[in-house]
Amino acid sequence: MVDDQNTGSKVMALGQRDYEVFRGDPTALPAKMAEIYGAIEPPPDVLRVAKFQQQVIGCYAMHSPQSPDAAGKPVPFELGMVMVLDAYQRNGVGRWLVGHAIGVAESKGGRELRVPLPGPAEFSEGVGLRQVPGGLHYAMDPE
């Protein structure tokens, strides 16, 4: 454990190889994550969790588009939440989770990821999200 910026709060120092991302079970989320996840309407169809030593330390929840819009244009994937437990923040876990969400969306044919949430500018820009009216946006380049 290390002191996060001399604030007195202890934060776990992790490397990217210290944790893994798995399909998530909403009933196995820590209480605060479960509360936020349970409030998302409609319920997300994608839940992934980051685990360190078999403990869930972070997660993301995402909606996959069900069909194109009325004009036939693909509907973007929507990232409904990204959360990392306080003790594991500032280790790249959130950045890794957003990158994983982008990869999942792209592997399912997604071309855009919408995040209808405000985010810290430094974090958002660091993962390639850009501010748009109503939240954040990520455009995936076709190969």
Side-chain angles (χ1 to χ4, degrees), residues 47-48 70 78 85 105 113-114 140:
L47 174 64
R48 299 293 187 268
E78 186 172 290
L85 295 177
L113 179 67
R114 193 172 78 82
M140 297 168 216

Side-chain angles (χ1 to χ4, degrees), residues 73-92:
K73 181 180 176 191
V75 177
F77 280 73
E78 186 172 290
L79 192 58
M81 79 177 279
V82 176
M83 185 174 185
V84 177
L85 295 177
D86 290 346
Y88 298 93
Q89 291 181 4
R90 301 184 114 16
N91 283 293

Side-chain angles (χ1 to χ4, degrees), residues 13 15-16 26 36 42 44 51 58 67 73 78 83-84 92 112 119 123 136:
Q16 285 184 337
I36 293 169
K51 288 185 175 183
S67 59
K73 181 180 176 191
E78 186 172 290
M83 185 174 185
V84 177
E112 296 177 72
F123 175 80
L136 304 165

Side-chain angles (χ1 to χ4, degrees), residues 55-104:
Q55 176 189 351
V56 173
I57 62 169
C59 72
Y60 72 84
M62 184 167 62
H63 292 102
S64 301
Q66 301 307 312
S67 59
D69 67 11
K73 181 180 176 191
V75 177
F77 280 73
E78 186 172 290
L79 192 58
M81 79 177 279
V82 176
M83 185 174 185
V84 177
L85 295 177
D86 290 346
Y88 298 93
Q89 291 181 4
R90 301 184 114 16
N91 283 293
V93 178
R95 182 180 311 272
W96 185 262
L97 288 168
V98 170
H100 193 276
I102 291 167
V104 168

